[in-house]
Amino acid sequence: MIFVDIATIIGIILGLVMMVFGVISNGSSITEYLHVPSAIITFGGAFASTLTSHTLQEFVTGIKSFALALKVPVLNTTQMITSIIELSNVARKEGLLSLEEAATELDEPFLKKGILLVVDGTDPELVRGILETELVSIEERHKKIIGFWDTVAAMGPAWGMIGTLLGLVSMLNNMSDPNSIGPNMAVALITTLYGSMLANWIATPIANKLRVNNAAEMQQKEVMIEGLLSIQAGENPRVIEEKLKSFLAPKDRENPQDEADFGGEE
Amino acid sequence: MIFVDIATIIGIILGLVMMVFGVISNGSSITEYLHVPSAIITFGGAFASTLTSHTLQEFVTGIKSFALALKVPVLNTTQMITSIIELSNVARKEGLLSLEEAATELDEPFLKKGILLVVDGTDPELVRGILETELVSIEERHKKIIGFWDTVAAMGPAWGMIGTLLGLVSMLNNMSDPNSIGPNMAVALITTLYGSMLANWIATPIANKLRVNNAAEMQQKEVMIEGLLSIQAGENPRVIEEKLKSFLAPKDRENPQDEADFGGEE
Amino acid sequence: MIFVDIATIIGIILGLVMMVFGVISNGSSITEYLHVPSAIITFGGAFASTLTSHTLQEFVTGIKSFALALKVPVLNTTQMITSIIELSNVARKEGLLSLEEAATELDEPFLKKGILLVVDGTDPELVRGILETELVSIEERHKKIIGFWDTVAAMGPAWGMIGTLLGLVSMLNNMSDPNSIGPNMAVALITTLYGSMLANWIATPIANKLRVNNAAEMQQKEVMIEGLLSIQAGENPRVIEEKLKSFLAPKDRENPQDEADFGGEE
Amino acid sequence: MIFVDIATIIGIILGLVMMVFGVISNGSSITEYLHVPSAIITFGGAFASTLTSHTLQEFVTGIKSFALALKVPVLNTTQMITSIIELSNVARKEGLLSLEEAATELDEPFLKKGILLVVDGTDPELVRGILETELVSIEERHKKIIGFWDTVAAMGPAWGMIGTLLGLVSMLNNMSDPNSIGPNMAVALITTLYGSMLANWIATPIANKLRVNNAAEMQQKEVMIEGLLSIQAGENPRVIEEKLKSFLAPKDRENPQDEADFGGEE
Amino acid sequence: MIFVDIATIIGIILGLVMMVFGVISNGSSITEYLHVPSAIITFGGAFASTLTSHTLQEFVTGIKSFALALKVPVLNTTQMITSIIELSNVARKEGLLSLEEAATELDEPFLKKGILLVVDGTDPELVRGILETELVSIEERHKKIIGFWDTVAAMGPAWGMIGTLLGLVSMLNNMSDPNSIGPNMAVALITTLYGSMLANWIATPIANKLRVNNAAEMQQKEVMIEGLLSIQAGENPRVIEEKLKSFLAPKDRENPQDEADFGGEE
């Protein structure tokens, strides 16, 4: 199960509300700011340069990842630690092989894979090696997606400026009618506005959010690796708990039903 | 006990005084600079994009952390070293187990946790591992909070510019009355002013201050880890003192009642 | 065989289409934006400073590398892993020496070189040392080429601004005819437009694309080194498969005929 | 003994001369550029935000460090190496204990501390540990001071812009008298000028200079650590000389009375 | 022997040609752009702040290093590898001591020093330690010089802006004669033009070029260290060749008389 991330959705809607409010309270109308050719040159140009920067499949994955930023990962680190401690108790009582059955009930594929490696009797160094390679590879795939939005965030204002320069050159060459100078310059500035909106309303926050999600996932996977290797080494469940809780903020240690893995300590 | 950090509070008040002074000495009135729609678009937009960038709980923690920047950590590193040397003397005279009682009197949870691990006879490598995991996790939580203010500092000017562009487009489309051009442009510039104030008067200094506080806390915790492991290894209190004082500036070494852990050496 | 990379080519063409569309929908003509002296000062100046920044041969290699960004590497990591597992099966059944024959059929020179080192009975540490030196040296050569395009991307807008300043100074010294001010300023702005185009339409996306290609090649070569050393160590082909598949996204693990090595996981 | 650093003092004076010359050769008078309210808002605001960013003591240390940038460290690395080689000869001839007397004559507290540790028979690993902790702590204190000037350099232009925006809004609201527009805008720009001067004439060069001085001191202390550990290990003075001279530029190796530790090699 | 680096010289001349061409094709005359007070404030101010940032000797070394950027290092890595392999053959046939004679014929002081250390029977770890310390020290001296040009590149536009602000304030205070506004503003902009030229025509490309030269020299010295230690370890010349050729691009491996050490691989 994946839940919707209310912060990101509210943030994007609120950003739009702020802009609409700014326009209306200014006594202007929204239609003054809607200009299809400006939209095409700014958004089209920015996405064209982003396409040039990546392969076709990375581009498609990047676009799709917009949906990822709106989702909250279900399992939190506190719950994860509880599960690992349960597994360590099972392993201690019934042997490592008994984990195979426990693994079938797990949703988390990374933890499952690790348990199966342990059950197979794989060498601990090799278990760590395989799981860390996977961790690094996941992070590199995440970084590609974050890089996609960083490119969009850089290209939005850049193409906004190209659009404005195109408009200014045209305006400056046609100044015979003084009454047209203002509106022509207004149109020229709309691409800069669009580029700034693309970067600061959408692309940069999405890249930031994916970065935050990646950091949480990486920390969770590090907890899994530490826990799995401790289980394999037959360590005491109480020591494993002490070890894994070091990853948590103090306030999350006592309430395993608590939802967050960030800090409120002073 | 937590004391108020006078530097940060004075700095923020002084910044406001400078701006008010600048306005008044200019012969203008403060009311010229108060414009509610501009405030809503700049501050609202900046915080909306910051909300998009984080989870709801991180956002709330970030807002609350403003108060953290106004506080001074009570215990300084010089005092901390004195405490650790006292503990090492206790351990040497009465054995490691006697530290359990001493630990109950300590305010500092990190040091307390470390002592309890040592008293439990935990393996030194594991003590270091657990404490360093905790240190890294605390730093990551701090970096999230610092990242919150860095995002605000970036989004303030960005939304200030969006507001100014919205205002300029509207102004350029309505230039029939030459007398309104000046005031309309003044209004358009107010969002840029607000964005710049949000970034440079509040958000960047708060982020910087939290960074400074984090560095001091991390150094203090490193001192604790080094000290604890030396106590566990049964090292000579005089050697421990020599080791831990290497973390201090020369002038703080002789006066344990001195308040600071930064340098005045040449 | 090398295939054309459709994303990069479409991206560049699309960028041009967007600009032409912007000009035409604006009611301007393309000829307004064509100004040979502006092109010479911007492109000429940018490439002159790029030439100053490098040696002649690096400059030539940099220019030629434009073609590299338009190509897709043929072999993908999934296929590479399949080949290495086949080689490990051959080595296990017929001995390491039998790899010499298998190597002659390989297209990939890096893998071929590694196999010949293994067949020669080179010490594993030395095999890793030689292959990693080669990996690092390839990456440094790639970084030089990427640095070439980064320099072009920085110098384009810089020389665009020099051109605009040259034009503005001239315009400001000749304001006797008010009708010439607009067109003169339009001409002055064209160099800024050209510099922005050079950076954001061409140079930055090409540098980004070469960075993406380099990362993919480095990952593939790391897979080869890991695989070769596992073959040399006589590891079980099933373990080697497990190890190497950790480099892949989950969806690429089951379909070796699939084309990509990036992630679509949630 | 500490000497005045002539480069930094001449540089600051020369910068002022350049600006005064620019004003006078322009036919303007210095008084046009002196505007007390602009100075208060720019310098006051920049230092207020810097105060917010630090603790009170760090702020005071930062201000005082201005004097540090004007001083040249007396002892150079070439002389330091000569002293260490002399010490190694003493140690070799008369034993490590004889260094105690030699240490009393040394001015350099870091070297002195190291020698006393060696004379005390401290374990070499512990000597290295204590001295490297001290080295890292000194560098962190230096970095705080450098960070102070970097903050000033960032806040100067930021508050200059705030001042200019305050002035522009006021000017745009009061355009009834066309003759006042120019002078009002001139006043508005003065804060930007002051901010730019604070950053580029003073704060950035001071930060750079402190960075240069820190690098020289760190290299010198690394030479001391290497030398001390070699003396403790009883290495041949000729080998120690060879080792330590590797830190120097070739031209400084033959002339120990030469004053510099930077390179003129090709 | 040191050859002139044609790329850098042509690049600088071409940059000047582009600017002169831009001016002339614009119908302006060069004299419009020559303004001694503007030159003094921009170049004088930029070099004054650079002087403040460094010691006097570093400043002089930095200025002199301009000449370094115009030179090509004579020996290339391919030739270096050939020499090292010859030395390894000599050492294998006639013993390590026979290298002493071979060393006298070498031009390269770094290689010569290494050989003398080997001939003296220095411990391999110490040989590596001494040579790597020297390598790091050379790189730090190079980075100081590169830092000099980076400072000039940052200070040029900064002082250009200070000059322009000085000019604008003066112009805005003297707007009584409308005909003088244009030329006064033209003069104000010339400092920005000069600052941009100093940064983008000279300082940044020189810094880039010195960075490229440093990277090539560091790679060559790493080849020497690897080769020397292999010779000392008595490794097979064929293995040494394999090892060292990993540093080269494939196309440079077969033609030792080829001149370059950068890549043309796909």
Side-chain angles (χ1 to χ4, degrees):
Chain A
M1 269 191 321
I2 297 281
F3 295 114
V4 158
D5 186 335
I6 211 161
T8 300
I9 291 175
I10 291 182
I12 289 176
I13 293 172
L14 225 58
L16 184 62
V17 169
M18 296 304 166
M19 286 185 283
V20 171
F21 172 86
V23 167
I24 290 171
S25 72
N26 214 7
S28 315
S29 94
I30 296 292
T31 51
E32 273 185 73
Y33 299 93
L34 300 179
H35 191 248
V36 174
S38 294
I40 288 175
I41 195 167
T42 311
F43 301 130
F47 281 99
S49 280
T50 307
L51 182 59
T52 311
S53 299
H54 296 271
T55 64
L56 192 56
Q57 279 179 297
E58 276 178 27
F59 185 81
V60 173
T61 310
I63 295 285
K64 282 184 190 162
S65 71
F66 183 78
L68 288 186
L70 306 184
K71 287 177 195 160
V72 176
V74 173
L75 203 62
N76 66 53
T77 308
T78 312
Q79 284 171 6
M80 174 58 63
I81 289 172
T82 311
S83 307
I84 292 172
I85 292 163
E86 279 166 24
L87 288 169
S88 80
N89 276 314
V90 169
R92 215 165 157 91
K93 283 180 207 143
E94 310 172 30
L96 283 176
L97 292 182
S98 66
L99 291 175
E100 187 151 24
E101 198 186 348
T104 57
E105 294 164 22
L106 287 170
D107 284 337
E108 168 59 51
F110 189 81
L111 188 57
K112 205 166 177 172
K113 177 176 182 177
I115 288 173
L116 292 177
L117 286 168
V118 167
V119 168
D120 279 7
T122 316
D123 182 76
E125 267 320 284
L126 193 53
V127 173
R128 180 184 285 277
I130 289 176
L131 293 179
E132 285 187 347
T133 298
E134 181 137 4
L135 188 115
V136 168
S137 301
I138 292 173
E139 185 154 38
E140 298 221 332
R141 288 194 293 273
H142 287 173
K143 280 187 180 164
K144 272 191 200 171
I145 297 176
I146 294 167
F148 171 86
W149 288 104
D150 283 337
T151 305
V152 173
M155 285 301 160
W159 281 84
M161 191 185 156
I162 288 177
T164 296
L165 287 166
L166 288 173
L168 283 180
V169 168
S170 168
M171 181 204 86
L172 289 163
N173 278 328
N174 299 286
M175 300 217 296
S176 48
D177 173 14
N179 289 330
S180 73
I181 294 176
N184 281 349
M185 198 162 167
V187 167
L189 282 180
I190 282 178
T191 55
T192 293
L193 173 64
Y194 285 176
S196 196
M197 279 166 56
L198 178 58
N200 298 299
W201 174 42
I202 301 289
T204 301
I206 292 292
N208 285 345
K209 185 58 180 289
L210 291 170
R211 241 186 291 271
V212 162
N213 285 354
N214 173 62
E217 189 179 331
M218 288 304 109
Q219 195 212 32
Q220 210 172 83
K221 286 199 164 48
E222 276 170 33
V223 167
M224 290 185 224
I225 295 177
E226 285 311 313
L228 277 167
L229 290 167
S230 295
I231 291 175
Q232 192 174 23
E235 285 178 14
N236 190 318
R238 212 181 51 77
V239 171
I240 297 179
E241 185 172 355
E242 197 72 54
K243 226 190 210 175
L244 299 188
K245 283 200 168 165
S246 305
F247 285 97
L248 295 181
K251 72 175 181 77
D252 294 332
R253 291 180 195 174
E254 307 309 322
N255 320 309
Q257 69 278 22
D258 192 330
E259 202 162 304
D261 62 317
F262 60 85
E265 72 273 53
E266 299 164 343
Chain B
M1 268 191 325
I2 297 278
F3 295 114
V4 157
D5 186 336
I6 212 161
T8 300
I9 291 175
I10 291 183
I12 290 176
I13 293 172
L14 225 58
L16 184 62
V17 168
M18 296 303 166
M19 286 185 283
V20 171
F21 172 86
V23 167
I24 290 171
S25 72
N26 215 8
S28 315
S29 93
I30 297 291
T31 52
E32 273 185 75
Y33 299 93
L34 301 180
H35 191 248
V36 174
S38 294
I40 288 175
I41 197 168
T42 311
F43 301 131
F47 281 99
S49 281
T50 307
L51 182 58
T52 310
S53 299
H54 297 272
T55 64
L56 193 56
Q57 280 179 295
E58 277 178 27
F59 185 81
V60 173
T61 310
I63 295 284
K64 281 183 189 162
S65 72
F66 183 78
L68 288 186
L70 306 184
K71 288 174 193 161
V72 175
V74 173
L75 202 63
N76 66 53
T77 307
T78 312
Q79 284 171 6
M80 173 58 63
I81 289 173
T82 311
S83 307
I84 291 172
I85 292 163
E86 279 167 23
L87 288 169
S88 80
N89 276 314
V90 170
R92 214 165 158 88
K93 283 180 206 142
E94 309 173 30
L96 283 176
L97 292 182
S98 67
L99 291 176
E100 186 151 25
E101 197 186 348
T104 57
E105 294 164 23
L106 286 171
D107 284 336
E108 168 59 49
F110 188 82
L111 187 58
K112 205 167 177 172
K113 178 177 181 177
I115 289 172
L116 292 177
L117 285 169
V118 167
V119 168
D120 280 7
T122 316
D123 181 77
E125 267 319 285
L126 193 53
V127 173
R128 180 184 284 278
I130 289 175
L131 294 179
E132 285 187 349
T133 299
E134 181 138 2
L135 189 116
V136 168
S137 301
I138 292 172
E139 185 154 38
E140 299 221 331
R141 288 195 293 275
H142 287 173
K143 279 186 181 164
K144 274 191 199 171
I145 297 175
I146 294 166
F148 170 87
W149 289 103
D150 283 337
T151 306
V152 173
M155 285 300 160
W159 280 85
M161 193 187 156
I162 288 177
T164 295
L165 287 166
L166 287 174
L168 283 181
V169 167
S170 167
M171 181 204 86
L172 289 163
N173 279 327
N174 299 285
M175 300 216 297
S176 48
D177 174 15
N179 289 331
S180 72
I181 292 177
N184 282 348
M185 197 160 167
V187 167
L189 281 180
I190 282 178
T191 55
T192 293
L193 173 65
Y194 284 178
S196 195
M197 279 165 57
L198 178 58
N200 298 299
W201 174 42
I202 302 288
T204 301
I206 293 293
N208 286 345
K209 185 59 180 288
L210 292 170
R211 241 184 291 270
V212 162
N213 285 354
N214 173 61
E217 190 180 330
M218 288 303 110
Q219 194 213 33
Q220 210 172 83
K221 287 200 163 46
E222 275 170 33
V223 167
M224 291 183 222
I225 295 177
E226 286 310 313
L228 277 166
L229 290 168
S230 296
I231 291 176
Q232 191 174 23
E235 285 179 15
N236 190 318
R238 211 182 51 75
V239 170
I240 298 179
E241 185 171 356
E242 197 72 54
K243 226 191 210 175
L244 300 188
K245 283 199 169 166
S246 304
F247 284 96
L248 295 180
K251 72 174 181 75
D252 294 332
R253 291 180 195 173
E254 307 309 322
N255 320 309
Q257 67 277 23
D258 191 331
E259 202 162 304
D261 63 317
F262 60 86
E265 74 271 56
E266 300 164 340
Chain C
M1 268 191 322
I2 297 280
F3 294 114
V4 159
D5 186 337
I6 211 160
T8 300
I9 292 175
I10 291 183
I12 290 176
I13 293 172
L14 225 57
L16 184 62
V17 169
M18 296 303 166
M19 286 185 284
V20 170
F21 171 86
V23 167
I24 290 171
S25 71
N26 214 8
S28 314
S29 94
I30 296 291
T31 52
E32 273 185 72
Y33 299 93
L34 300 179
H35 191 246
V36 174
S38 294
I40 288 175
I41 195 168
T42 311
F43 301 130
F47 281 100
S49 281
T50 306
L51 181 59
T52 311
S53 299
H54 296 272
T55 63
L56 192 56
Q57 278 179 298
E58 276 178 27
F59 185 80
V60 173
T61 309
I63 294 284
K64 282 183 190 163
S65 71
F66 183 77
L68 287 186
L70 307 184
K71 287 176 194 161
V72 175
V74 173
L75 202 62
N76 65 55
T77 307
T78 312
Q79 284 171 5
M80 173 59 62
I81 290 173
T82 310
S83 307
I84 292 172
I85 293 164
E86 278 166 24
L87 289 169
S88 80
N89 276 315
V90 169
R92 214 163 158 92
K93 283 179 208 146
E94 310 173 29
L96 283 175
L97 292 182
S98 67
L99 291 175
E100 187 151 24
E101 198 186 347
T104 56
E105 294 163 22
L106 287 170
D107 284 336
E108 168 59 50
F110 189 81
L111 187 58
K112 205 167 177 171
K113 177 176 180 178
I115 288 173
L116 293 177
L117 286 168
V118 166
V119 169
D120 280 7
T122 316
D123 182 74
E125 267 320 285
L126 193 54
V127 173
R128 180 184 286 278
I130 288 175
L131 294 180
E132 286 187 347
T133 299
E134 181 137 3
L135 188 115
V136 168
S137 301
I138 292 173
E139 185 154 38
E140 299 221 331
R141 288 194 294 274
H142 288 173
K143 280 186 180 164
K144 272 190 198 171
I145 297 176
I146 294 167
F148 170 86
W149 289 103
D150 283 336
T151 305
V152 173
M155 285 301 162
W159 280 85
M161 192 186 155
I162 288 176
T164 295
L165 287 165
L166 288 173
L168 284 180
V169 167
S170 167
M171 180 204 85
L172 289 163
N173 278 328
N174 299 286
M175 299 216 296
S176 48
D177 173 15
N179 289 330
S180 73
I181 294 176
N184 282 348
M185 198 162 166
V187 166
L189 282 180
I190 282 178
T191 55
T192 294
L193 173 64
Y194 285 176
S196 196
M197 279 166 56
L198 178 57
N200 298 300
W201 173 43
I202 301 289
T204 301
I206 293 292
N208 286 345
K209 184 59 180 288
L210 291 170
R211 242 185 290 271
V212 162
N213 284 355
N214 172 61
E217 189 179 331
M218 288 304 110
Q219 196 213 33
Q220 208 172 85
K221 286 197 164 50
E222 276 171 32
V223 167
M224 290 185 222
I225 295 177
E226 286 311 313
L228 277 166
L229 289 168
S230 295
I231 291 175
Q232 192 174 23
E235 284 178 16
N236 189 318
R238 211 182 50 79
V239 170
I240 298 178
E241 186 172 356
E242 197 71 53
K243 225 189 210 176
L244 299 187
K245 283 199 169 166
S246 304
F247 284 97
L248 295 181
K251 72 175 181 79
D252 294 333
R253 291 179 195 172
E254 307 311 321
N255 321 310
Q257 70 278 23
D258 192 332
E259 204 163 302
D261 63 316
F262 60 86
E265 73 269 53
E266 299 164 343
Chain D
M1 269 192 321
I2 297 281
F3 294 114
V4 158
D5 185 336
I6 212 161
T8 300
I9 291 175
I10 290 182
I12 289 176
I13 293 171
L14 225 57
L16 184 62
V17 168
M18 295 304 165
M19 286 184 283
V20 170
F21 172 86
V23 167
I24 290 171
S25 71
N26 214 9
S28 314
S29 93
I30 295 292
T31 52
E32 273 184 75
Y33 299 93
L34 300 180
H35 191 246
V36 174
S38 293
I40 288 174
I41 195 169
T42 310
F43 301 130
F47 281 100
S49 281
T50 306
L51 181 58
T52 311
S53 299
H54 296 272
T55 64
L56 193 56
Q57 279 179 297
E58 276 178 28
F59 185 81
V60 173
T61 310
I63 294 285
K64 282 183 189 161
S65 71
F66 184 77
L68 289 186
L70 306 183
K71 288 174 192 161
V72 176
V74 173
L75 202 64
N76 65 54
T77 308
T78 311
Q79 284 171 5
M80 173 58 63
I81 290 173
T82 312
S83 306
I84 292 172
I85 292 164
E86 279 167 22
L87 289 168
S88 80
N89 277 314
V90 170
R92 215 165 157 89
K93 284 180 205 142
E94 311 173 28
L96 284 176
L97 293 181
S98 67
L99 291 176
E100 186 151 25
E101 197 186 348
T104 57
E105 293 165 23
L106 287 171
D107 284 335
E108 168 58 49
F110 188 82
L111 187 57
K112 205 167 176 173
K113 177 176 180 177
I115 288 172
L116 292 177
L117 285 169
V118 167
V119 168
D120 280 8
T122 317
D123 182 76
E125 268 320 285
L126 193 54
V127 173
R128 180 183 286 276
I130 289 175
L131 294 180
E132 285 187 349
T133 300
E134 181 138 2
L135 188 117
V136 169
S137 302
I138 292 172
E139 185 154 38
E140 299 221 333
R141 288 194 294 276
H142 288 174
K143 280 186 181 165
K144 273 191 199 171
I145 297 175
I146 294 166
F148 171 87
W149 289 103
D150 283 336
T151 305
V152 173
M155 285 301 160
W159 280 84
M161 192 186 155
I162 288 177
T164 295
L165 286 166
L166 288 173
L168 284 181
V169 167
S170 167
M171 181 204 86
L172 289 164
N173 279 327
N174 299 285
M175 300 216 297
S176 48
D177 174 15
N179 289 331
S180 73
I181 293 176
N184 282 348
M185 197 162 167
V187 167
L189 281 180
I190 282 178
T191 56
T192 293
L193 173 64
Y194 284 177
S196 196
M197 278 165 58
L198 178 58
N200 298 299
W201 174 41
I202 302 288
T204 300
I206 292 293
N208 286 345
K209 185 59 179 287
L210 292 171
R211 241 185 291 272
V212 162
N213 284 355
N214 173 61
E217 190 181 330
M218 287 305 109
Q219 195 213 33
Q220 208 173 85
K221 287 198 164 48
E222 274 169 34
V223 167
M224 290 184 221
I225 295 178
E226 286 310 313
L228 277 166
L229 290 168
S230 296
I231 291 175
Q232 192 174 23
E235 284 178 15
N236 189 319
R238 211 182 51 76
V239 170
I240 299 178
E241 185 172 356
E242 196 72 53
K243 227 190 211 174
L244 300 187
K245 282 197 170 168
S246 304
F247 285 97
L248 295 181
K251 73 179 182 74
D252 294 332
R253 291 181 195 172
E254 307 310 320
N255 320 310
Q257 68 278 20
D258 191 332
E259 203 164 302
D261 64 317
F262 61 87
E265 73 272 55
E266 298 164 343
Chain E
M1 269 191 323
I2 296 281
F3 295 114
V4 158
D5 186 335
I6 212 160
T8 300
I9 291 174
I10 290 183
I12 290 176
I13 292 171
L14 225 56
L16 183 63
V17 168
M18 296 303 166
M19 286 185 283
V20 170
F21 171 86
V23 167
I24 290 170
S25 71
N26 214 8
S28 315
S29 93
I30 295 292
T31 54
E32 272 184 75
Y33 299 93
L34 300 179
H35 191 247
V36 174
S38 293
I40 289 174
I41 196 169
T42 310
F43 301 130
F47 281 100
S49 281
T50 306
L51 181 59
T52 311
S53 299
H54 297 272
T55 64
L56 193 56
Q57 280 179 298
E58 276 178 28
F59 185 80
V60 173
T61 310
I63 295 284
K64 281 183 189 162
S65 71
F66 183 77
L68 288 186
L70 306 184
K71 287 176 193 159
V72 175
V74 172
L75 202 63
N76 66 55
T77 308
T78 311
Q79 284 171 6
M80 174 59 63
I81 290 174
T82 310
S83 306
I84 292 172
I85 292 164
E86 279 167 22
L87 288 169
S88 79
N89 276 315
V90 169
R92 213 163 158 91
K93 284 179 207 145
E94 312 171 30
L96 283 175
L97 293 181
S98 68
L99 291 175
E100 187 152 22
E101 198 186 348
T104 56
E105 293 164 22
L106 287 171
D107 284 335
E108 168 59 50
F110 188 83
L111 188 58
K112 204 166 177 174
K113 177 177 180 177
I115 288 172
L116 292 177
L117 285 168
V118 167
V119 168
D120 279 8
T122 316
D123 182 75
E125 268 320 285
L126 193 54
V127 173
R128 179 184 287 276
I130 289 175
L131 294 180
E132 285 187 348
T133 299
E134 182 138 2
L135 188 116
V136 168
S137 302
I138 292 172
E139 185 154 39
E140 299 221 332
R141 288 194 295 275
H142 287 174
K143 280 187 181 165
K144 274 191 198 172
I145 297 175
I146 294 167
F148 171 86
W149 289 103
D150 283 336
T151 305
V152 173
M155 285 300 161
W159 280 85
M161 192 186 155
I162 288 177
T164 295
L165 287 165
L166 288 173
L168 284 180
V169 167
S170 167
M171 179 204 87
L172 289 163
N173 279 328
N174 299 286
M175 300 216 296
S176 48
D177 173 15
N179 289 331
S180 73
I181 294 177
N184 282 349
M185 197 160 167
V187 167
L189 281 180
I190 282 178
T191 56
T192 293
L193 173 65
Y194 285 177
S196 196
M197 279 165 57
L198 178 57
N200 298 300
W201 173 42
I202 301 288
T204 301
I206 293 293
N208 286 345
K209 184 59 179 288
L210 292 170
R211 241 184 291 270
V212 162
N213 285 353
N214 173 61
E217 189 180 331
M218 287 305 110
Q219 196 213 32
Q220 208 172 86
K221 285 198 164 48
E222 275 170 33
V223 167
M224 291 184 222
I225 295 177
E226 285 311 311
L228 277 165
L229 289 168
S230 296
I231 291 175
Q232 191 174 22
E235 284 178 16
N236 189 318
R238 211 182 50 79
V239 171
I240 298 178
E241 186 171 357
E242 196 72 51
K243 226 189 210 175
L244 300 187
K245 282 197 170 167
S246 304
F247 285 97
L248 295 181
K251 72 178 182 76
D252 294 332
R253 291 180 194 172
E254 307 310 321
N255 321 310
Q257 69 278 23
D258 192 331
E259 203 164 302
D261 62 315
F262 61 86
E265 74 270 62
E266 301 163 342

